[in-house]
Amino acid sequence: MNYKMNEVHLRVMNYQERIQQNTSMSKTIKVLAAVCLFFSFCYSRGSVNLDEKNQIQARVMWIISMIVLLVLFYIDSNYVKKNKAYEFEIYRLEVEDLNDKKEIAEITGEILPDYVLNTRIDVPADKVLLPITYYSVILVLNIIIAIMFLR
């Protein structure tokens, strides 16, 4: 029984570590999106007084920045979805472990401590909160940059 408890605890810790890593990567990707927006602004702003050839290059760079922002949104959304899946896996493991403890105690006739009997495991929310607002603002700002500087 002790071995099973340690295994479950280690698996939960592993999932929690993965959640932390994904959260860190998600923050990094958001910073990359902001850097991409800043780069788009600087490049577009710098091309205002240039000739037509450089204006076309600036438009191409703006299109590339839009594609990069969309790809970053997709990658960030995948990290958020993975975190939600890990939360449900942690929930499943904890419920399974609690049920196993109760079943073993019933079979062996042991009395479980109150903290085990009164353990309440919260179900994770079903709703996945994607970073739509953040990327929508970034994309709108990038469009405003194009309207202001790329003519």
Side-chain angles (χ1 to χ4, degrees):
M1 181 170 150
N2 197 15
Y3 169 74
K4 174 124 173 93
M5 288 174 28
N6 287 336
E7 179 187 353
V8 169
H9 184 67
L10 286 174
R11 289 177 71 190
V12 167
M13 285 177 34
N14 183 22
Y15 286 126
Q16 289 172 341
E17 178 68 26
R18 289 182 188 177
I19 288 172
Q20 289 175 350
Q21 288 173 350
N22 286 349
T23 302
S24 175
M25 286 300 295
S26 180
K27 289 177 184 176
T28 302
I29 290 172
K30 284 183 175 78
V31 169
L32 285 175
V35 167
C36 181
L37 178 69
F38 179 73
F39 177 75
S40 176
F41 171 75
C42 291
Y43 199 86
S44 298
R45 179 69 179 113
S47 68
V48 168
N49 296 324
L50 298 177
D51 61 348
E52 186 63 30
K53 181 181 176 187
N54 288 331
Q55 282 287 326
I56 292 171
Q57 289 176 349
R59 288 185 191 112
V60 169
M61 288 303 295
W62 179 81
I63 291 169
I64 290 171
S65 73
M66 289 296 284
I67 292 170
V68 167
L69 289 172
L70 292 173
V71 168
L72 290 175
F73 169 72
Y74 176 77
I75 293 170
D76 197 4
S77 297
N78 280 337
Y79 281 121
V80 170
K81 290 175 186 176
K82 284 179 185 177
N83 277 355
K84 186 55 75 173
Y86 292 148
E87 288 176 11
F88 276 107
E89 187 61 23
I90 289 172
Y91 171 75
R92 186 191 66 75
L93 287 172
E94 288 176 343
V95 167
E96 187 179 285
D97 185 49
L98 184 61
N99 289 339
D100 287 348
K101 286 178 185 177
K102 288 179 181 179
E103 186 176 315
I104 290 171
E106 185 178 307
I107 291 171
T108 60
E110 294 178 19
I111 298 174
L112 289 173
D114 287 340
Y115 74 89
V116 174
L117 292 173
N118 296 332
T119 299
R120 188 182 117 143
I121 302 170
D122 296 326
V123 180
D126 286 336
K127 192 171 185 179
V128 178
L129 299 174
L130 297 176
I132 294 172
T133 305
Y134 179 80
Y135 287 96
S136 297
V137 169
I138 295 285
L139 288 173
V140 166
L141 288 174
N142 204 18
I143 291 169
I144 291 171
I145 288 169
I147 292 170
M148 288 176 57
F149 301 118
L150 302 176
R151 296 181 182 160

PDB file of all heavy atoms in Angstrom, residues 116-142:
ATOM      1  N   VAL A 116      -8.301  11.686   6.096  1.00  0.00           N
ATOM      2  CA  VAL A 116      -8.443  10.901   4.868  1.00  0.00           C
ATOM      3  C   VAL A 116      -9.923  10.768   4.518  1.00  0.00           C
ATOM      4  O   VAL A 116     -10.317  10.920   3.358  1.00  0.00           O
ATOM      5  CB  VAL A 116      -7.786   9.510   5.013  1.00  0.00           C
ATOM      6  CG1 VAL A 116      -8.076   8.645   3.793  1.00  0.00           C
ATOM      7  CG2 VAL A 116      -6.284   9.644   5.233  1.00  0.00           C
ATOM      8  N   LEU A 117     -10.747  10.487   5.531  1.00  0.00           N
ATOM      9  CA  LEU A 117     -12.185  10.321   5.281  1.00  0.00           C
ATOM     10  C   LEU A 117     -12.835  11.620   4.830  1.00  0.00           C
ATOM     11  O   LEU A 117     -13.780  11.603   4.035  1.00  0.00           O
ATOM     12  CB  LEU A 117     -12.883   9.801   6.542  1.00  0.00           C
ATOM     13  CG  LEU A 117     -12.527   8.369   6.952  1.00  0.00           C
ATOM     14  CD1 LEU A 117     -13.152   8.040   8.299  1.00  0.00           C
ATOM     15  CD2 LEU A 117     -12.965   7.382   5.885  1.00  0.00           C
ATOM     16  N   ASN A 118     -12.361  12.737   5.344  1.00  0.00           N
ATOM     17  CA  ASN A 118     -12.955  14.027   5.003  1.00  0.00           C
ATOM     18  C   ASN A 118     -12.266  14.722   3.829  1.00  0.00           C
ATOM     19  O   ASN A 118     -12.550  15.888   3.545  1.00  0.00           O
ATOM     20  CB  ASN A 118     -12.919  14.949   6.227  1.00  0.00           C
ATOM     21  CG  ASN A 118     -13.774  14.420   7.364  1.00  0.00           C
ATOM     22  OD1 ASN A 118     -14.745  13.711   7.122  1.00  0.00           O
ATOM     23  ND2 ASN A 118     -13.402  14.739   8.584  1.00  0.00           N
ATOM     24  N   THR A 119     -11.380  14.023   3.187  1.00  0.00           N
ATOM     25  CA  THR A 119     -10.678  14.613   2.046  1.00  0.00           C
ATOM     26  C   THR A 119     -11.672  14.913   0.938  1.00  0.00           C
ATOM     27  O   THR A 119     -12.469  14.064   0.549  1.00  0.00           O
ATOM     28  CB  THR A 119      -9.591  13.650   1.514  1.00  0.00           C
ATOM     29  OG1 THR A 119      -8.647  13.402   2.550  1.00  0.00           O
ATOM     30  CG2 THR A 119      -8.884  14.244   0.316  1.00  0.00           C
ATOM     31  N   ARG A 120     -11.597  16.140   0.468  1.00  0.00           N
ATOM     32  CA  ARG A 120     -12.467  16.550  -0.628  1.00  0.00           C
ATOM     33  C   ARG A 120     -11.581  16.925  -1.805  1.00  0.00           C
ATOM     34  O   ARG A 120     -10.715  17.789  -1.697  1.00  0.00           O
ATOM     35  CB  ARG A 120     -13.299  17.753  -0.207  1.00  0.00           C
ATOM     36  CG  ARG A 120     -14.360  18.128  -1.204  1.00  0.00           C
ATOM     37  CD  ARG A 120     -15.073  19.332  -0.725  1.00  0.00           C
ATOM     38  NE  ARG A 120     -14.826  20.376  -1.719  1.00  0.00           N
ATOM     39  CZ  ARG A 120     -15.716  21.268  -2.068  1.00  0.00           C
ATOM     40  NH1 ARG A 120     -16.873  21.292  -1.461  1.00  0.00           N
ATOM     41  NH2 ARG A 120     -15.436  22.156  -2.980  1.00  0.00           N
ATOM     42  N   ILE A 121     -11.789  16.252  -2.902  1.00  0.00           N
ATOM     43  CA  ILE A 121     -10.990  16.489  -4.098  1.00  0.00           C
ATOM     44  C   ILE A 121     -11.861  17.270  -5.070  1.00  0.00           C
ATOM     45  O   ILE A 121     -12.906  16.800  -5.508  1.00  0.00           O
ATOM     46  CB  ILE A 121     -10.513  15.162  -4.717  1.00  0.00           C
ATOM     47  CG1 ILE A 121      -9.703  14.376  -3.686  1.00  0.00           C
ATOM     48  CG2 ILE A 121      -9.698  15.426  -5.969  1.00  0.00           C
ATOM     49  CD1 ILE A 121      -9.382  12.968  -4.100  1.00  0.00           C
ATOM     50  N   ASP A 122     -11.419  18.471  -5.383  1.00  0.00           N
ATOM     51  CA  ASP A 122     -12.185  19.336  -6.268  1.00  0.00           C
ATOM     52  C   ASP A 122     -11.985  18.935  -7.723  1.00  0.00           C
ATOM     53  O   ASP A 122     -10.862  18.694  -8.167  1.00  0.00           O
ATOM     54  CB  ASP A 122     -11.774  20.796  -6.085  1.00  0.00           C
ATOM     55  CG  ASP A 122     -12.097  21.303  -4.683  1.00  0.00           C
ATOM     56  OD1 ASP A 122     -13.114  20.852  -4.127  1.00  0.00           O
ATOM     57  OD2 ASP A 122     -11.329  22.142  -4.179  1.00  0.00           O
ATOM     58  N   VAL A 123     -13.087  18.915  -8.441  1.00  0.00           N
ATOM     59  CA  VAL A 123     -13.040  18.612  -9.870  1.00  0.00           C
ATOM     60  C   VAL A 123     -12.559  19.863 -10.602  1.00  0.00           C
ATOM     61  O   VAL A 123     -13.051  20.957 -10.355  1.00  0.00           O
ATOM     62  CB  VAL A 123     -14.442  18.213 -10.391  1.00  0.00           C
ATOM     63  CG1 VAL A 123     -14.406  17.905 -11.874  1.00  0.00           C
ATOM     64  CG2 VAL A 123     -14.998  17.047  -9.608  1.00  0.00           C
ATOM     65  N   PRO A 124     -11.592  19.704 -11.504  1.00  0.00           N
ATOM     66  CA  PRO A 124     -11.158  20.869 -12.278  1.00  0.00           C
ATOM     67  C   PRO A 124     -12.293  21.382 -13.165  1.00  0.00           C
ATOM     68  O   PRO A 124     -13.148  20.612 -13.588  1.00  0.00           O
ATOM     69  CB  PRO A 124     -10.008  20.340 -13.140  1.00  0.00           C
ATOM     70  CG  PRO A 124      -9.661  19.009 -12.604  1.00  0.00           C
ATOM     71  CD  PRO A 124     -10.816  18.517 -11.821  1.00  0.00           C
ATOM     72  N   ALA A 125     -12.279  22.652 -13.423  1.00  0.00           N
ATOM     73  CA  ALA A 125     -13.311  23.239 -14.281  1.00  0.00           C
ATOM     74  C   ALA A 125     -13.179  22.666 -15.691  1.00  0.00           C
ATOM     75  O   ALA A 125     -12.078  22.427 -16.183  1.00  0.00           O
ATOM     76  CB  ALA A 125     -13.151  24.752 -14.317  1.00  0.00           C
ATOM     77  N   ASP A 126     -14.321  22.453 -16.330  1.00  0.00           N
ATOM     78  CA  ASP A 126     -14.320  21.911 -17.694  1.00  0.00           C
ATOM     79  C   ASP A 126     -13.868  22.937 -18.712  1.00  0.00           C
ATOM     80  O   ASP A 126     -13.350  22.585 -19.769  1.00  0.00           O
ATOM     81  CB  ASP A 126     -15.727  21.426 -18.073  1.00  0.00           C
ATOM     82  CG  ASP A 126     -16.093  20.130 -17.386  1.00  0.00           C
ATOM     83  OD1 ASP A 126     -15.175  19.385 -17.011  1.00  0.00           O
ATOM     84  OD2 ASP A 126     -17.298  19.862 -17.236  1.00  0.00           O
ATOM     85  N   LYS A 127     -14.072  24.188 -18.400  1.00  0.00           N
ATOM     86  CA  LYS A 127     -13.798  25.244 -19.363  1.00  0.00           C
ATOM     87  C   LYS A 127     -12.291  25.477 -19.495  1.00  0.00           C
ATOM     88  O   LYS A 127     -11.583  25.653 -18.514  1.00  0.00           O
ATOM     89  CB  LYS A 127     -14.483  26.530 -18.927  1.00  0.00           C
ATOM     90  CG  LYS A 127     -14.499  27.599 -19.963  1.00  0.00           C
ATOM     91  CD  LYS A 127     -15.373  28.754 -19.539  1.00  0.00           C
ATOM     92  CE  LYS A 127     -15.471  29.764 -20.659  1.00  0.00           C
ATOM     93  NZ  LYS A 127     -16.327  30.881 -20.286  1.00  0.00           N
ATOM     94  N   VAL A 128     -11.820  25.484 -20.730  1.00  0.00           N
ATOM     95  CA  VAL A 128     -10.425  25.774 -21.029  1.00  0.00           C
ATOM     96  C   VAL A 128     -10.338  27.244 -21.417  1.00  0.00           C
ATOM     97  O   VAL A 128     -10.973  27.674 -22.374  1.00  0.00           O
ATOM     98  CB  VAL A 128      -9.909  24.880 -22.184  1.00  0.00           C
ATOM     99  CG1 VAL A 128      -8.470  25.225 -22.513  1.00  0.00           C
ATOM    100  CG2 VAL A 128     -10.048  23.413 -21.839  1.00  0.00           C
ATOM    101  N   LEU A 129      -9.573  27.995 -20.650  1.00  0.00           N
ATOM    102  CA  LEU A 129      -9.449  29.436 -20.906  1.00  0.00           C
ATOM    103  C   LEU A 129      -8.247  29.697 -21.814  1.00  0.00           C
ATOM    104  O   LEU A 129      -7.110  29.785 -21.368  1.00  0.00           O
ATOM    105  CB  LEU A 129      -9.297  30.188 -19.589  1.00  0.00           C
ATOM    106  CG  LEU A 129     -10.472  30.050 -18.625  1.00  0.00           C
ATOM    107  CD1 LEU A 129     -10.163  30.721 -17.296  1.00  0.00           C
ATOM    108  CD2 LEU A 129     -11.721  30.639 -19.242  1.00  0.00           C
ATOM    109  N   LEU A 130      -8.528  29.784 -23.097  1.00  0.00           N
ATOM    110  CA  LEU A 130      -7.485  30.056 -24.078  1.00  0.00           C
ATOM    111  C   LEU A 130      -7.103  31.536 -24.028  1.00  0.00           C
ATOM    112  O   LEU A 130      -7.927  32.383 -23.678  1.00  0.00           O
ATOM    113  CB  LEU A 130      -7.962  29.680 -25.479  1.00  0.00           C
ATOM    114  CG  LEU A 130      -8.277  28.204 -25.696  1.00  0.00           C
ATOM    115  CD1 LEU A 130      -8.829  27.988 -27.092  1.00  0.00           C
ATOM    116  CD2 LEU A 130      -7.060  27.343 -25.472  1.00  0.00           C
ATOM    117  N   PRO A 131      -5.878  31.865 -24.415  1.00  0.00           N
ATOM    118  CA  PRO A 131      -5.423  33.265 -24.360  1.00  0.00           C
ATOM    119  C   PRO A 131      -5.930  34.090 -25.547  1.00  0.00           C
ATOM    120  O   PRO A 131      -5.166  34.803 -26.202  1.00  0.00           O
ATOM    121  CB  PRO A 131      -3.899  33.120 -24.376  1.00  0.00           C
ATOM    122  CG  PRO A 131      -3.659  31.857 -25.126  1.00  0.00           C
ATOM    123  CD  PRO A 131      -4.808  30.949 -24.766  1.00  0.00           C
ATOM    124  N   ILE A 132      -7.211  34.011 -25.808  1.00  0.00           N
ATOM    125  CA  ILE A 132      -7.795  34.684 -26.970  1.00  0.00           C
ATOM    126  C   ILE A 132      -7.722  36.206 -26.824  1.00  0.00           C
ATOM    127  O   ILE A 132      -7.380  36.913 -27.778  1.00  0.00           O
ATOM    128  CB  ILE A 132      -9.249  34.216 -27.185  1.00  0.00           C
ATOM    129  CG1 ILE A 132      -9.250  32.733 -27.573  1.00  0.00           C
ATOM    130  CG2 ILE A 132      -9.954  35.045 -28.241  1.00  0.00           C
ATOM    131  CD1 ILE A 132     -10.611  32.100 -27.617  1.00  0.00           C
ATOM    132  N   THR A 133      -8.022  36.714 -25.660  1.00  0.00           N
ATOM    133  CA  THR A 133      -8.020  38.162 -25.449  1.00  0.00           C
ATOM    134  C   THR A 133      -6.635  38.757 -25.695  1.00  0.00           C
ATOM    135  O   THR A 133      -6.501  39.771 -26.393  1.00  0.00           O
ATOM    136  CB  THR A 133      -8.492  38.497 -24.020  1.00  0.00           C
ATOM    137  OG1 THR A 133      -9.757  37.895 -23.796  1.00  0.00           O
ATOM    138  CG2 THR A 133      -8.587  39.993 -23.813  1.00  0.00           C
ATOM    139  N   TYR A 134      -5.630  38.123 -25.139  1.00  0.00           N
ATOM    140  CA  TYR A 134      -4.256  38.634 -25.288  1.00  0.00           C
ATOM    141  C   TYR A 134      -3.864  38.703 -26.762  1.00  0.00           C
ATOM    142  O   TYR A 134      -3.392  39.738 -27.235  1.00  0.00           O
ATOM    143  CB  TYR A 134      -3.281  37.736 -24.512  1.00  0.00           C
ATOM    144  CG  TYR A 134      -1.847  38.176 -24.620  1.00  0.00           C
ATOM    145  CD1 TYR A 134      -1.365  39.210 -23.838  1.00  0.00           C
ATOM    146  CD2 TYR A 134      -0.969  37.567 -25.516  1.00  0.00           C
ATOM    147  CE1 TYR A 134      -0.049  39.636 -23.934  1.00  0.00           C
ATOM    148  CE2 TYR A 134       0.350  37.971 -25.621  1.00  0.00           C
ATOM    149  CZ  TYR A 134       0.801  39.003 -24.827  1.00  0.00           C
ATOM    150  OH  TYR A 134       2.099  39.422 -24.924  1.00  0.00           O
ATOM    151  N   TYR A 135      -4.078  37.607 -27.467  1.00  0.00           N
ATOM    152  CA  TYR A 135      -3.663  37.578 -28.866  1.00  0.00           C
ATOM    153  C   TYR A 135      -4.569  38.437 -29.754  1.00  0.00           C
ATOM    154  O   TYR A 135      -4.117  38.960 -30.766  1.00  0.00           O
ATOM    155  CB  TYR A 135      -3.579  36.143 -29.379  1.00  0.00           C
ATOM    156  CG  TYR A 135      -2.366  35.442 -28.806  1.00  0.00           C
ATOM    157  CD1 TYR A 135      -2.464  34.639 -27.684  1.00  0.00           C
ATOM    158  CD2 TYR A 135      -1.117  35.634 -29.362  1.00  0.00           C
ATOM    159  CE1 TYR A 135      -1.359  34.023 -27.148  1.00  0.00           C
ATOM    160  CE2 TYR A 135       0.007  35.029 -28.833  1.00  0.00           C
ATOM    161  CZ  TYR A 135      -0.120  34.219 -27.722  1.00  0.00           C
ATOM    162  OH  TYR A 135       0.987  33.633 -27.184  1.00  0.00           O
ATOM    163  N   SER A 136      -5.819  38.594 -29.367  1.00  0.00           N
ATOM    164  CA  SER A 136      -6.700  39.488 -30.114  1.00  0.00           C
ATOM    165  C   SER A 136      -6.192  40.926 -30.029  1.00  0.00           C
ATOM    166  O   SER A 136      -6.151  41.649 -31.040  1.00  0.00           O
ATOM    167  CB  SER A 136      -8.132  39.418 -29.581  1.00  0.00           C
ATOM    168  OG  SER A 136      -8.660  38.141 -29.748  1.00  0.00           O
ATOM    169  N   VAL A 137      -5.803  41.335 -28.840  1.00  0.00           N
ATOM    170  CA  VAL A 137      -5.261  42.687 -28.658  1.00  0.00           C
ATOM    171  C   VAL A 137      -3.973  42.847 -29.463  1.00  0.00           C
ATOM    172  O   VAL A 137      -3.780  43.858 -30.152  1.00  0.00           O
ATOM    173  CB  VAL A 137      -5.022  42.978 -27.158  1.00  0.00           C
ATOM    174  CG1 VAL A 137      -4.211  44.251 -26.963  1.00  0.00           C
ATOM    175  CG2 VAL A 137      -6.341  43.062 -26.415  1.00  0.00           C
ATOM    176  N   ILE A 138      -3.104  41.861 -29.406  1.00  0.00           N
ATOM    177  CA  ILE A 138      -1.845  41.916 -30.153  1.00  0.00           C
ATOM    178  C   ILE A 138      -2.121  42.012 -31.655  1.00  0.00           C
ATOM    179  O   ILE A 138      -1.505  42.811 -32.364  1.00  0.00           O
ATOM    180  CB  ILE A 138      -0.968  40.681 -29.833  1.00  0.00           C
ATOM    181  CG1 ILE A 138      -0.517  40.673 -28.377  1.00  0.00           C
ATOM    182  CG2 ILE A 138       0.224  40.586 -30.777  1.00  0.00           C
ATOM    183  CD1 ILE A 138       0.571  41.645 -28.039  1.00  0.00           C
ATOM    184  N   LEU A 139      -3.044  41.196 -32.151  1.00  0.00           N
ATOM    185  CA  LEU A 139      -3.363  41.220 -33.583  1.00  0.00           C
ATOM    186  C   LEU A 139      -3.994  42.551 -33.995  1.00  0.00           C
ATOM    187  O   LEU A 139      -3.667  43.097 -35.056  1.00  0.00           O
ATOM    188  CB  LEU A 139      -4.280  40.060 -33.951  1.00  0.00           C
ATOM    189  CG  LEU A 139      -3.619  38.683 -33.959  1.00  0.00           C
ATOM    190  CD1 LEU A 139      -4.665  37.585 -34.166  1.00  0.00           C
ATOM    191  CD2 LEU A 139      -2.537  38.584 -35.005  1.00  0.00           C
ATOM    192  N   VAL A 140      -4.881  43.085 -33.166  1.00  0.00           N
ATOM    193  CA  VAL A 140      -5.498  44.375 -33.478  1.00  0.00           C
ATOM    194  C   VAL A 140      -4.437  45.471 -33.500  1.00  0.00           C
ATOM    195  O   VAL A 140      -4.438  46.332 -34.391  1.00  0.00           O
ATOM    196  CB  VAL A 140      -6.633  44.700 -32.477  1.00  0.00           C
ATOM    197  CG1 VAL A 140      -7.059  46.154 -32.566  1.00  0.00           C
ATOM    198  CG2 VAL A 140      -7.813  43.780 -32.702  1.00  0.00           C
ATOM    199  N   LEU A 141      -3.530  45.456 -32.548  1.00  0.00           N
ATOM    200  CA  LEU A 141      -2.447  46.445 -32.543  1.00  0.00           C
ATOM    201  C   LEU A 141      -1.578  46.305 -33.789  1.00  0.00           C
ATOM    202  O   LEU A 141      -1.149  47.306 -34.374  1.00  0.00           O
ATOM    203  CB  LEU A 141      -1.592  46.297 -31.285  1.00  0.00           C
ATOM    204  CG  LEU A 141      -2.247  46.750 -29.981  1.00  0.00           C
ATOM    205  CD1 LEU A 141      -1.353  46.419 -28.798  1.00  0.00           C
ATOM    206  CD2 LEU A 141      -2.566  48.228 -30.027  1.00  0.00           C
ATOM    207  N   ASN A 142      -1.335  45.078 -34.213  1.00  0.00           N
ATOM    208  CA  ASN A 142      -0.538  44.864 -35.420  1.00  0.00           C
ATOM    209  C   ASN A 142      -1.273  45.388 -36.655  1.00  0.00           C
ATOM    210  O   ASN A 142      -0.649  45.961 -37.551  1.00  0.00           O
ATOM    211  CB  ASN A 142      -0.193  43.382 -35.582  1.00  0.00           C
ATOM    212  CG  ASN A 142       1.044  43.162 -36.405  1.00  0.00           C
ATOM    213  OD1 ASN A 142       1.849  44.067 -36.609  1.00  0.00           O
ATOM    214  ND2 ASN A 142       1.209  41.952 -36.884  1.00  0.00           N
TER     215      ASN A 142
END
